[in-house]
Structures are given as C-alpha cells and as structure tokens.
C-alpha cells in the first residue's frame, strides 16, 4: 500500500504492530483520528505513554498497581489465607469480575515455555515460594488457576512439586469440565472424559 | 470491568473510543504494550501525535500531503485533463493501488448527509467548481467515484447539477455492475438489473 504522506505511513506502521491489527484496520484507525478533534489523538497518545512509563507492579502479588501495594493486597477484608496463582493480569481481572473469590492473588507473569525461552526463573515463582514459606505466613491454600494448555500444565506441575513439601499448605486447581451452556456433543474428548471421572455427587434434596 | 490501575483504565478507555475496538480488545492492546519494550509505546504515541498535529492537506485536491502540493498534483506526467472526485482519502489510496488511473483527484472530505448535518458547504465542492471553471483550466472530464449509497448518490446528483452547465467538461461515473468473481445469484436485484440495462457490447473477434 502506498501512502500519500510519510506521517500516515508511520502511524499506520506503528498501529499495525499491535496484535490483531493489520494494515487496513490501522489505516482506518489513523483516518478516524485525522477526522476527529486533535484532542482525541492527544489524549490517546498521552494515556498510552503515561500507562507505559508510570505503571507499577504490586511488590507482593505482581499485579498491576498505581501504588507499591495493590488494592487487593491492601484490602484487609479479603481472605489472607488463600492465594490464587494466575499467569496474567487479565486473569485477575476476569476472576475479580466473577465476584466469587475473596482471597489474594499471585501473578506469575507468564507460563513456563521452553520454546519461547521462558523458564521458572523468568516468572515470579521464587516470590510466590517466599510468600508461602516466610515466617508468620497466613497462607493455607494455593489455588492454581492456570490455563490448561501444554505450557500451563507444565507450569502447574512445576508449582505443585515446589509446594508439595509444605505440609501446612493445600494446593488445589480450578475445576475443569463442561462450561455452563456448553453442549456435551461439542466438548472435546479429554474435557468430557475428565468431567465424567471427576463427577460431583449431588446433595440429596 | 474493574481495573487494578487508573493508568490502565484511562488507556483502555481511550483505545476503546477507536472504531471497532471494544473494551476487551482495548485491554488486550494495553497489556500487549505493557509487555513490550517501552520504546514500542513511545514510538506509537509519538507517531499518532505527530500525524495528527503535523498533517497537511493538498491545497488543490485536499488529499493528505506532507507538502502544500501533494505528490499527485505535483506530478506533471499525470493527465491534468481528468479529475476523479472521491469522498475520502482512502478512496484515493484504493484507486492508486489499482494502477489503472493516471489523472488527478479531488477529495470531497465526506458526502452530503442531512442526518449528520453535513451540507454541500462542509465539503470541498466550491473548491472543485473553482478548479474546473478557473481561467486556463485544463480539466475536460470529471469522474464521480462516490460510493453508491443514499448519501453518495445525493452528492453525485448535486455535483452533476453543478457541473452540467459547463459545456467543455464531461461528467462520468465509475462503472457499476457485478464485481469480478461475484456470483450472479448473490448480487442484489438493483445491481443485477442495472448490469443488464447497462450491458456492454463485446468487440467482434
């Protein structure tokens, strides 16, 4: 694609480096910004730069935070005895949105992936072990809420091994099974198989 | 959706004001930028701001340009007697990409749309008429290449009326019909009907 202006070409080039945005979408976004008030572009550019340069991570759980301790870690009303281990900040947002969990979090910052060159040392695993084992730790349960991909399972397995020698800490995983509203016939064999093996007895009414 | 950081919330808010980008996509883009080098965000923000604040439009054809006269208007090898009228800069890029047109352009900056409050005076119609009628104008044909929507047709009709009193200038429209590779049975009735009425005789071989 040839552009009538280097300025547009640069903007389209930068926008199309974002995931899921191709040249055509990037051009549409650039032309939208050109049609809108200059303020729109100014505040977008400022919000992005400010976010990237001023973002902090919680010292304890490594979640995104504007302060050294994030709002979840600072909240004394939450259950300090349970830690939910997730790979990504997005997972924290997703679980918080369910309003079903009142404990703490620990964000690994990814999953173990030899292909991408990500080993245990690149994640916040040491920080998790320190949290769990340190003097006076209240943590009694570690929930592994990691996506059931190959890399995710490897990471969960690695963590279970590291945590199994701590007798006072239970390790659990989020439930696997047929999603709500999911059709049995469309579920993959492994999910369906596991959902039968790990069936749950209903309470008598 | 609740965000753990105001900085992210702002960035997601700004990104999701872009067309076709919802909250979830905006969050994915923001987290991508957070994972990437700070340079990525810095150069994106700079390219957007630079584009918006430094963009110029060609004085003659109103196409985007880094100089007062765009590369197309400045190119003396192009056919100065033909002007292709389009609503948008994107249309110029699209037509240039076909490499089938060697004439000049005129970018209206939109189409007449009473619902959106866009009248003829909001477009570059006066500038087009001035170009066509001014002393020593070489323009002999005006091609209306405006999308066949209701607003587009209104705009084309308005332009034809304005141009019809100039005996030395022909007005034409881009051909309508079944697109290349298009299946007849899926074409809408109006397109199919017009493509029969406006059929083109083949040369004898």
């Amino acid at each position: 694609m040839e552009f009538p202006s280097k300025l547009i070409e640069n903007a389209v080039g930068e926008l199309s480096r974002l995931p899921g945005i191709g040249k055509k979408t990037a051009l549409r976004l650039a032309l939208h910004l050109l049609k809108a008030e200059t303020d729109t572009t100014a505040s977008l550019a400022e919000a992005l730069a400010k976010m990237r340069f001023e973002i902090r991570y919680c010292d304890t759980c490594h979640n995104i935070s504007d302060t050294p301790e994030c709002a979840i870690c600072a909240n004394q009303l939450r259950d300090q005895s349970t830690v939910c281990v997730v790979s990504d900040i997005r997972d924290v947002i997703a679980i918080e949105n369910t309003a079903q969990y009142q404990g703490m979090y620990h964000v690994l910052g990814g999953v173990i992936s030899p292909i991408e060159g990500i080993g245990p040392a690149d994640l916040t695993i040491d920080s998790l072990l320190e949290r769990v084992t340190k003097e006076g730790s209240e943590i009694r349960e570690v929930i592994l809420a990691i996506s059931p991909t190959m890399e995710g399972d490897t990471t969960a397995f690695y963590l279970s091994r590291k945590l199994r020698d701590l007798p006072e800490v239970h390790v659990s995983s989020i439930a696997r099974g047929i999603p709500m509203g999911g059709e049995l016939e469309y579920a993959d064999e492994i999910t369906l198989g596991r959902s039968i093996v790990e069936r749950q007895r209903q309470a008598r009414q």
Side-chain angles (χ1 to χ4, degrees), chain A:
Chain A
M1 223 188 286
E2 276 208 35
F3 295 103
S5 151
K6 279 273 166 230
L7 296 168
I8 291 233
E9 195 173 326
N10 283 347
V12 168
E14 290 293 334
L15 284 168
S16 60
R17 289 171 63 187
L18 294 172
I21 294 190
K23 286 259 165 180
K24 280 212 168 175
T25 308
L27 179 61
R28 193 160 52 87
L29 297 179
L31 294 178
H32 167 85
L33 290 174
L34 283 179
K35 276 213 170 178
E37 301 289 313
T38 51
D39 278 2
T40 309
T41 309
S43 56
L44 170 63
E46 201 195 314
L48 292 181
K50 221 171 138 69
M51 172 190 77
R52 187 62 188 89
F53 287 95
E54 294 182 15
I55 202 78
R56 296 281 168 275
Y57 295 90
C58 175
D59 292 338
T60 310
C61 73
H62 308 281
N63 189 11
I64 280 169
S65 172
D66 294 341
T67 48
E69 189 177 35
C70 77
I72 294 173
C73 287
N75 184 349
Q76 290 297 323
L77 295 174
R78 294 188 74 116
D79 175 9
Q80 312 284 324
S81 71
T82 316
V83 174
C84 180
V85 178
V86 294
S87 71
D88 213 308
I89 298 141
R90 239 176 305 182
D91 303 324
V92 175
I93 297 174
I95 295 174
E96 281 299 285
N97 279 335
T98 69
Q100 296 292 314
Y101 180 67
Q102 292 302 318
M104 318 306 285
Y105 288 97
H106 194 88
V107 180
L108 292 177
V111 284
I112 296 171
S113 168
I115 295 169
E116 291 182 45
I118 303 170
D122 300 313
L123 308 176
T124 63
I125 292 176
D126 284 344
S127 153
L128 172 66
L129 296 176
E130 203 187 304
R131 265 179 94 178
V132 175
T133 54
K134 79 158 178 242
E135 259 315 275
S137 161
E138 297 177 47
I139 298 166
R140 292 292 166 267
E141 183 177 2
V142 174
I143 305 171
L144 301 179
I146 301 170
S147 297
T149 58
M150 188 135 78
E151 288 87 359
D153 285 342
T154 306
T155 311
F157 181 70
Y158 182 89
L159 286 172
S160 319
R161 287 269 306 263
K162 286 278 180 187
L163 293 164
R164 70 175 172 190
D165 297 331
L166 305 167
E168 67 280 26
V169 177
H170 292 287
V171 178
S172 58
S173 308
I174 50 168
R176 313 283 183 210
I178 307 296
M180 290 295 172
E183 303 263 14
L184 278 202
E185 55 179 321
Y186 297 128
D188 65 287
E189 288 166 23
I190 297 172
T191 304
L192 189 54
R194 280 188 61 164
S195 79
I196 290 171
V197 172
E198 293 166 18
R199 64 194 177 277
Q200 293 192 298
R201 185 168 287 202
Q202 292 192 347
R204 278 174 204 276
Q205 286 171 339

